[in-house]
Amino acid sequence: MKHLRQLEDQSVYILREAYKHFNHLAMLWSMGKDSTVLLWLARKAFFGHVPFPLLHVDTSYKIPAMIEYRDRIAREWRLNLVVGQNKEALAAGMNHTLGRDVCCTALKTTAMKNLVEEKGYTGIILGVRADEDSTRAKERYFSPRDKHGDWDFRDQPPELWDQFKTTFPPGTHIRIHPLLDWTEINIWEYIKHENIPFMDLYLDRGDGTRYRSLGCAPCTMPIKSTAKTVDEIIAELRGTNVAERAGRAQDAGRGMEMLRKKGYM
Amino acid sequence: MNRGFIERVNHMTQHDQTKPQESLNIVIVGHVDHGKSTLVGRLYADTGSLPEGKVEKVQAICRQQGKEFEYAFLFDAFLEEQEQGITIDTARTFFIWNGRQYIIIDAPGHKEFLKNMISGAARAEAALLLIDALEGVREQSKKHGYLLSLLGVTQFAVVVNKMDLVGYRQDVFDGIEKEYREFLGQFRAVPQQMIPVSAKMGDNIATRSSHMNWYQGPTVLETLALFKKEQVRSEQPLRFPLQDVYKFDARRILAGRITAGRLKVGDQLVFSPSNKTALVQSIEGFNVDPPQSEAQAGQSVGITLDEQIFVERGEIASHRDSIPLVSTAIRVNLFWMGRRPLEKGRKYVLRLATREVACEVAAIHRIIDTADLAQLQESQAVAKNQVAELTLRAKSPLAFDLSSSFEATGRFVLVDEYDIAGGGIITELVHDEQEGLREEARQREYAWLTGDVRAEDRAAQYGHRAAIVLFTGSAQTGKTFLARRVEALLVADSRHAYLLEGENLLQGLDADLSAADPSFAAERVRRYGEVARLLIDTGLIVVSTSKTFGINYQRMAEMIRTLVQPAPVIAVHMSRAGEEPPPNTDLHFAGPQDFDAAARRILEELKRRGVLIQPSGTKSTIQYSI
């Protein structure tokens, strides 16, 4: 498990740098496996404490079990949970049938931008991983976003050794990515090693399917799988060549690049 | 060509099932268009490491744009990159082979994107450097080779690509090998291998080429397996740069990442540059059972100490037998990526491990042309993408190592405004005039004997920590008047404060000194500093002015600072008009003053710095502000 300890050491270092440099810091928590590992790493970094709020961008289309899990963990781990929602767009009837990119942008990107603006956060910690898709493979650990939340991937700051971009002009914010070097398998190995509680939606509960990636109910499809334990998930992943986010509709075509340029996570 | 590709994808069920025991960061660099992305694409395809969804997605985009599929497209993710056919930013991808996980960093070769190449290479434990057999050694081939060496990537192989375009001829390969080895030899860099390949055709990537029987060495994949995981860092002397101090619960935890060596419970640590010492009481952790009793290089840890010493982020903990260097001046090799040129005299922030300190460029010794390593003539500025040898002068003493002996504490970055604009390695310590005093202070701190009452006991009793408020400024600016006000205000607030008047020392302690002696001034300030150190050890807030040192106040104040280290110094400067205050000034009062308001402002600063801990009269457990 030496490689897991190495990944943990780097992520913990990044989290501590973030905590030291940002007075208005928050962590995005979608309750999925990645951001839950991220949350666990924060407890590692700060010795059982989570010294910043956790943000959940609620599209209202999440699978109900996710919300139950969220509230239980928040209570047990004494988390400071902040929920954001684009109520305006929802009131106007926003849903995925109006176009997936339109819906993602309104209910996730805009909802998050509003929350960041309202609360004045200057640092947002996210659980994105480089192996998820090609645009994320180009991310920095500390990645600036301009006043509109946009990402200028052409002109990213240099990141040398363990020196990150921690200073930024007023009105902009920094996205912090401590999980960049982790793979999907690393995430499950770590969940097993640390015995981290996770949602059973990721397991086959008897119908021969499980979720590999969790998002909104209408746009996230379960995969065929009989994996009933973390070990079985890991064994399955070692043999598969299907991309992790294949069940996520917004990734089709050039979707992710366009979404992320506009500030998507 | 798609057919061939799909066949390969189908092989992927033979995916390597071995559990990776370790991971290795590899960067791929070289001149633009020499085939880096193609090599990466080929490596993945031939090792069966591509997810199905990936290929289909890229093929669909190719069809949409009406162009032929290329291996390079697999990782050139952005539309813009595909349109221009170059890698803009560093991309990271992973594959597992023979029990090792490789993190492949594909760095751009175009010179416009040098800072991205550097970001990629700075993360690498080993590198592949590509040279196009048809084009030969080019500008960026040389620059990247030199920068790898500067960045500390000593483990690398040179891959001579596109051998298919030169008829797989050995003489072409030999020519490039000779030329490039000669270039690398100038800065003593030695490649582990030189490998002739064709990434496009798959020669010597994962399988041995049948076109180049004259080459007996390893393939690219075999070379990757030969790269060693660096382990020696934990065998070096301890370096533990302090990242932060936490007080989330009853524990006061010093957090940081060990960059070299090991530490264990019971070790005596010395913090530099403050010279504070304490024993490691525990290594803390969350969900770690049993608790660690030892930690080593690479690990992010938290420790508690047997004594609540005041130490700050940026200090480097070591064992006493091997402490880092300390100075305010260093000689460095630096590469510059800033939007504006690096200028002599301009102020930058230097970041070394977790330390941040203001600095300026004292001298630009030479600028190195990385294409031929020629020295350019003396210059007042370093332009973007240039490498230079400089002397940097920091505003306060810095603990560091030479990069030849320690990696992480021997390198630094410079921040210009909001951006990391340069990076470099430290090649020499430059002696400064504080050196003698610094050594005196260090030896004194090591040997200092105390009773059973500790500094935190005094602080808890007094309701404040010990500190020195140091007033500087030229004559007739009201220093003494304000210093007296501050002393009075503190005592009225039940604090233990004392005005140290230099003139008094002159009458007694300094009575044996002769003003005619050339060392008079230096010896006076030394004694003054030692007296201040003693008073601070009693738990007092010492209020002092530079008045007794006349016009030399600035130099003298720096010397006092060195001697009272590691006590908190609150530097107050007073001037008649808006003249520049000395370095490290905390508060500056210019022009006529409302002295009561100024004194209150100083008390505020003492609170902010954690010297005044709680309202007087109430006694509670001491809470350090950090």
Side-chain angles (χ1 to χ4, degrees), chain B residues 53-73:
Chain B
K54 184 121 201 173
V55 183
E56 279 143 23
K57 194 169 151 185
V58 174
Q59 283 174 335
I61 294 175
C62 284
R63 264 196 307 278
Q64 234 172 6
Q65 298 182 347
K67 59 181 176 193
E68 206 181 337
F69 173 83
E70 283 182 33
Y71 286 102
F73 295 162

Side-chain angles (χ1 to χ4, degrees), chain B residues 348-595:
Chain B
Y348 300 96
V349 173
L350 184 148
R351 290 168 53 173
L352 185 152
T354 55
R355 182 73 194 276
E356 285 187 28
V357 59
C359 79
E360 63 180 34
V361 180
I364 298 174
H365 304 293
R366 62 181 191 135
I367 290 174
I368 304 156
D369 183 342
T370 48
D372 56 7
L373 300 183
Q375 301 182 23
L376 303 180
Q377 33 181 281
E378 212 169 292
S379 170
Q380 290 299 302
V382 182
K384 188 175 178 174
N385 295 342
Q386 278 185 330
V387 176
E389 280 182 26
L390 313 170
T391 294
L392 297 175
R393 199 165 290 279
K395 294 286 179 214
S396 38
L398 181 71
F400 63 93
D401 290 294
L402 301 187
S403 79
S404 50
S405 28
F406 288 87
E407 203 174 56
T409 45
R411 62 196 182 192
F412 65 93
V413 298
L414 289 188
V415 179
D416 188 11
E417 292 191 329
Y418 298 115
D419 300 321
I420 291 175
I425 55 174
I426 303 174
T427 55
E428 273 176 50
L429 173 142
V430 178
H431 299 279
D432 61 13
E433 65 165 18
Q434 304 278 315
E435 208 168 47
L437 290 179
R438 205 173 286 133
E439 191 51 31
E440 172 179 324
R442 176 179 279 165
Q443 293 308 330
R444 182 198 65 208
E445 289 305 309
Y446 284 173
W448 196 267
L449 301 175
T450 57
D452 294 336
V453 181
R454 297 169 305 169
E456 71 255 36
D457 298 332
R458 288 186 210 281
Q461 198 66 25
Y462 296 169
H464 61 80
R465 285 197 287 133
I468 179 165
V469 185
L470 186 56
F471 289 85
T472 57
S474 38
Q476 306 300 324
T477 47
K479 295 185 296 294
T480 305
F481 191 74
L482 182 55
R484 288 176 176 185
R485 257 322 142 81
V486 169
E487 183 197 25
L489 202 57
L490 282 167
V491 172
D493 196 29
S494 309
R495 314 291 181 168
H496 302 244
Y498 179 74
L499 176 71
L500 176 62
E501 179 53 74
E503 295 300 311
N504 295 340
L505 298 192
L506 209 50
Q507 303 308 319
L509 186 61
D510 296 340
D512 60 326
L513 298 178
S514 156
D517 194 320
S519 65
F520 174 71
E523 180 56 18
R524 264 196 78 203
V525 74
R526 192 190 72 78
R527 292 182 183 188
Y528 186 98
E530 289 294 350
V531 169
R533 168 68 182 87
L534 260 176
L535 292 177
I536 288 166
D537 201 49
T538 68
L540 287 176
I541 298 173
V542 177
V543 181
S544 70
T545 81
S546 64
K547 181 181 160 197
T548 190
F549 303 114
I551 52 165
N552 283 327
Y553 68 83
Q554 190 161 328
R555 223 180 113 224
M556 298 303 161
E558 283 308 308
M559 293 166 85
I560 292 165
R561 248 177 208 282
T562 301
L563 284 167
V564 301
Q565 178 93 272
V569 177
I570 288 81
V572 182
H573 184 70
M574 304 196 62
S575 63
R576 269 183 294 262
E579 73 205 50
E580 179 85 348
N584 304 311
T585 295
D586 297 298
L587 292 172
H588 180 197
F589 298 106
Q593 286 302 317
D594 173 348
F595 285 99

Side-chain angles (χ1 to χ4, degrees), chain B residues 9-10 164 205 212 221 451 474:
Chain B
V9 170
N10 290 342
D164 55 313
I205 305 296
M212 292 178 280
L221 199 56
S474 38

Side-chain angles (χ1 to χ4, degrees), chain B residues 314-356:
Chain B
E315 297 204 41
I316 298 175
S318 67
H319 292 128
R320 198 171 145 174
D321 54 6
S322 174
I323 53 175
L325 304 170
V326 175
S327 183
T328 50
I330 48 176
R331 188 164 171 135
V332 306
N333 284 358
L334 165 131
F335 50 86
W336 189 248
M337 304 169 277
R339 287 171 214 271
R340 78 171 100 211
L342 175 94
E343 286 161 20
K344 216 171 135 177
R346 190 175 152 81
K347 289 184 173 56
Y348 300 96
V349 173
L350 184 148
R351 290 168 53 173
L352 185 152
T354 55
R355 182 73 194 276
E356 285 187 28

Side-chain angles (χ1 to χ4, degrees), chain B residues 127-183:
Chain B
L128 296 177
L129 192 144
L130 257 74
I131 297 176
D132 184 325
L134 195 61
E135 287 199 17
V137 178
R138 298 294 299 273
E139 182 197 342
Q140 297 301 312
S141 322
K142 288 184 172 178
K143 191 155 222 161
H144 286 187
Y146 183 80
L147 287 173
L148 282 180
S149 156
L150 193 62
L151 289 162
V153 186
T154 52
Q155 189 167 230
F156 70 102
V158 178
V159 177
V160 180
N161 190 22
K162 306 193 190 177
M163 287 300 293
D164 55 313
L165 299 183
V166 296
Y168 296 108
R169 276 164 48 201
Q170 186 178 3
D171 61 318
V172 176
F173 175 76
D174 287 349
I176 290 171
E177 170 161 16
K178 184 167 181 293
E179 182 188 354
Y180 201 61
R181 275 188 193 274
E182 269 170 20
F183 169 75

Side-chain angles (χ1 to χ4, degrees), chain B residues 51-126:
Chain B
E52 272 164 31
K54 184 121 201 173
V55 183
E56 279 143 23
K57 194 169 151 185
V58 174
Q59 283 174 335
I61 294 175
C62 284
R63 264 196 307 278
Q64 234 172 6
Q65 298 182 347
K67 59 181 176 193
E68 206 181 337
F69 173 83
E70 283 182 33
Y71 286 102
F73 295 162
L74 288 168
F75 300 102
D76 284 349
F78 294 117
L79 301 180
E80 198 163 349
E81 290 185 350
Q82 287 171 15
E83 274 146 25
Q84 294 184 11
I86 51 170
T87 309
I88 289 173
D89 207 310
T90 296
R92 254 175 294 195
T93 50
F94 311 78
F95 78 92
I96 296 168
W97 188 255
N98 278 347
R100 189 191 252 178
Q101 172 177 281
Y102 292 95
I103 300 168
I104 301 283
I105 306 160
D106 182 14
H110 199 277
K111 72 173 178 197
E112 288 302 304
F113 306 121
L114 196 68
K115 72 176 159 67
N116 296 340
M117 174 269 167
I118 282 168
S119 299
R123 267 184 220 136
E125 293 162 276

Side-chain angles (χ1 to χ4, degrees), chain A residues 109-151:
Chain A
T109 313
T110 308
M112 185 163 99
K113 274 184 195 173
N114 292 347
L115 194 60
V116 168
E117 213 175 279
E118 182 196 318
K119 303 277 182 183
Y121 298 125
T122 51
I124 309 284
I125 309 168
L126 295 98
V128 308
R129 307 190 329 262
D131 78 331
E132 282 180 280
D133 80 298
S134 317
T135 65
R136 287 177 175 141
K138 308 227 165 194
E139 276 287 9
R140 298 282 196 263
Y141 295 119
F142 284 64
S143 179
R145 292 295 184 275
D146 68 16
K147 285 183 175 142
H148 312 288
D150 291 355
W151 181 36

